[in-house]
């Protein structure tokens, strides 16, 4: 799985500007400071004046004596048309093809390095670094970065878009990554996509949701996270704080005013034991300590994991995922059909709990 940065995206038009454009009142059109800062100073080696930026933003920018022209599409993404890049002649402009006026804002290198490491820790890799630097140098108080990833499933490819939201401190030149919105479109067998499912994940709480975990949660699966419990005041006394691994999943049946789904949480006392649940099924990988450890780790992260079932009729490929709410596993065949195993299919010797030679 590789997460790719979105192309260069500029600030949105205001409702007033949209009205002026629709009425062709071009003389009233003027870029706001935020809009002007979001537009590169150089695209593909062509320097843009303030007038060029205005032309690009509201209509199109065409360098003198060139066949290519640039414009902003309906998603505020800068695109170019040279008639030969793609079948429809349109190609999106990447951050590697643009330059911003580096004199606008001095870059806080320590802050930049910190944010790069944060993106890497969250699973976004290094492909957003160029876009991050450009946006930090713009000098705006807030900015967003877009990214896209594809996840292959046994039946199709899922598409997930991320919008990472940054803001500048009111007391220093530091930026913070506050949250990101993830939007998942599940792939269907016919090549189309299901309606998107969205969720905003807030950060800087010590147990941040990674990009892959966000995908797993939006796919309806549960993940295991370390949470700080206790600290409640009961009868005037604060209960001791402790850290504990808990299972969480999204409750899609509920939404708050912002459209976010709340989390369902399952603590240790709830009684879900992943290893015990695995032992109830004839999974070949459990017989190898290394494979067993990798399987448990993968399920803890909310992944859909490929396994081999040892049945009386022979070995069969399938998939499993953790289901802490019902204290068991979700079992699927090789075509991702949910399975309900018959007792006669389960080998008796695999019903016994086997102690691996190496723990987690």
């Amino acid at each position: 799985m590789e997460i790719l940065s979105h192309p260069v995206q500029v600030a949105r038009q205001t409702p007033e500007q949209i009205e002026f454009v629709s009425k062709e009142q071009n003389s009233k059109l003027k870029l706001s400071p935020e809009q002007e800062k979001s537009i590169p100073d150089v695209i593909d080696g062509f320097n843009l004046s303030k007038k060029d930026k205005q032309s690009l933003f509201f209509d199109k920018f065409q360098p003198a004596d060139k066949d290519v022209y640039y414009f902003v599409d309906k998603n505020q993404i800068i695109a170019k048309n040279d008639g030969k890049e793609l079948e429809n002649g349109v190609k999106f402009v990447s951050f590697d093809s643009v330059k911003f006026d580096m004199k606008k804002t001095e870059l806080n290198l320590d802050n930049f390095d910190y944010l790069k490491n944060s993106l890497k820790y969250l699973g976004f890799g290094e492909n957003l670094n160029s876009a991050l630097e450009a946006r930090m140098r713009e000098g705006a108080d807030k900015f967003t970065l877009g990214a896209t990833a594809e996840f292959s499933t046994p039946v199709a490819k899922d598409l997930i878009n991320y919008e990472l939201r940054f803001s500048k401190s009111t007391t220093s030149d530091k930026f913070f990554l506050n949250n990101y919105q993830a939007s998942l479109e599940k792939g269907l067998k016919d090549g189309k996509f299901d309606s998107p499912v969205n969720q905003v994940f807030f950060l800087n709480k010590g147990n941040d949701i990674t990009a892959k975990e966000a995908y797993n949660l939006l796919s309806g699966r549960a993940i295991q996270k370390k949470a700080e419990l206790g600290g409640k005041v009961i009868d005037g006394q604060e209960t001791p704080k402790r850290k504990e691994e808990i299972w969480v999943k999204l409750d899609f049946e509920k939404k708050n005013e912002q459209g976010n789904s709340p989390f369902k949480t399952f603590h240790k006392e709830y009684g879900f034991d992943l290893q015990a649940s695995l032992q109830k099924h004839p999974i070949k990988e459990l017989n190898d300590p290394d494979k067993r450890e990798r399987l448990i780790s993968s399920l803890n992260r909310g992944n859909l994991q490929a396994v081999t079932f040892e049945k009386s009729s022979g070995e069969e490929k399938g998939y499993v995922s953790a289901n802490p709410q019902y204290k068991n596993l979700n079992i699927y065949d090789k075509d991702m059909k949910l399975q309900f195993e018959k007792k006669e299919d389960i080998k008796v010797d695999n019903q016994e709990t086997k102690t691996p030679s190496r723990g987690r």
Side-chain angles (χ1 to χ4, degrees), residues 241-255:
K241 293 181 180 180
R242 70 186 191 281
K243 290 187 176 181
E244 182 180 298
E245 299 283 358
I246 66 172
W247 288 89
V248 298
K249 67 176 296 187
L250 291 173
D251 185 355
F252 293 114
E253 295 181 359
K254 299 178 182 178
K255 297 279 186 183

Side-chain angles (χ1 to χ4, degrees), residues 13 16 19 40 43 66 79 84 89 128 137 139 143 180 193 196 202 239 258 263 265 283 294 310 315 319 332 337 340:
Q13 290 186 14
E16 186 179 39
E19 184 178 356
I43 301 178
K66 299 294 181 181
K84 61 183 180 181
L128 301 182
R137 288 186 182 276
F143 66 86
Y180 66 87
F193 291 93
F202 294 91
T239 59
Q258 290 73 40
F263 283 100
T265 58
I283 298 173
R294 289 196 295 269
E310 295 181 312
E315 293 186 354
Y319 300 88
Y332 304 90
K337 293 180 180 178
F340 300 93

Side-chain angles (χ1 to χ4, degrees), residues 176-198:
F176 298 94
L177 173 56
N178 301 310
N179 60 67
Y180 66 87
Q181 176 174 283
S183 179
L184 173 64
E185 297 177 56
K186 297 291 289 183
L188 305 176
K189 288 184 178 180
D190 59 4
K192 297 180 181 179
F193 291 93
D194 206 347
S195 299
V197 182
N198 306 308

Side-chain angles (χ1 to χ4, degrees), residues 126-143:
E126 299 179 349
N127 289 335
L128 301 182
N129 291 351
S130 296
L132 174 63
E133 180 180 1
R135 290 308 187 203
M136 289 179 69
R137 288 186 182 276
E138 285 176 15
D141 292 334
K142 296 180 180 180
F143 66 86

Side-chain angles (χ1 to χ4, degrees), residues 221-237:
R221 295 189 289 272
I223 65 172
Q224 191 180 67
K225 298 292 286 184
K226 183 171 288 187
E228 187 175 86
L229 306 177
K232 295 182 179 180
V233 177
I234 301 176
D235 296 331
Q237 297 291 324

Side-chain angles (χ1 to χ4, degrees), residues 191-306:
K192 297 180 181 179
F193 291 93
D194 206 347
S195 299
V197 182
N198 306 308
Q199 181 79 5
V200 175
F201 296 96
F202 294 91
L203 305 173
N204 302 314
K205 294 185 177 181
N207 56 348
D208 296 337
I209 302 296
T210 67
K212 180 65 181 297
E213 289 172 340
Y215 165 73
N216 286 335
L217 287 167
L218 288 172
S219 298
R221 295 189 289 272
I223 65 172
Q224 191 180 67
K225 298 292 286 184
K226 183 171 288 187
E228 187 175 86
L229 306 177
K232 295 182 179 180
V233 177
I234 301 176
D235 296 331
Q237 297 291 324
E238 184 179 17
T239 59
K241 293 181 180 180
R242 70 186 191 281
K243 290 187 176 181
E244 182 180 298
E245 299 283 358
I246 66 172
W247 288 89
V248 298
K249 67 176 296 187
L250 291 173
D251 185 355
F252 293 114
E253 295 181 359
K254 299 178 182 178
K255 297 279 186 183
N256 62 17
E257 293 180 355
Q258 290 73 40
N260 249 21
S261 297
F263 283 100
K264 288 183 178 180
T265 58
F266 307 97
H267 297 256
K268 184 178 181 180
E269 292 79 7
Y270 185 75
F272 174 59
D273 187 328
L274 176 59
Q275 296 196 47
S277 296
L278 283 167
Q279 288 300 150
K280 296 177 182 178
H281 301 279
I283 298 173
K284 183 178 180 180
E285 286 75 11
L286 297 178
N287 300 319
D288 182 297
D290 290 331
K291 292 180 179 179
R292 177 193 182 98
E293 186 175 349
R294 289 196 295 269
L295 172 60
I296 292 173
S297 177
S298 179
L299 294 176
N300 281 337
R301 297 194 301 273
N303 293 330
L304 178 70
Q305 186 63 38

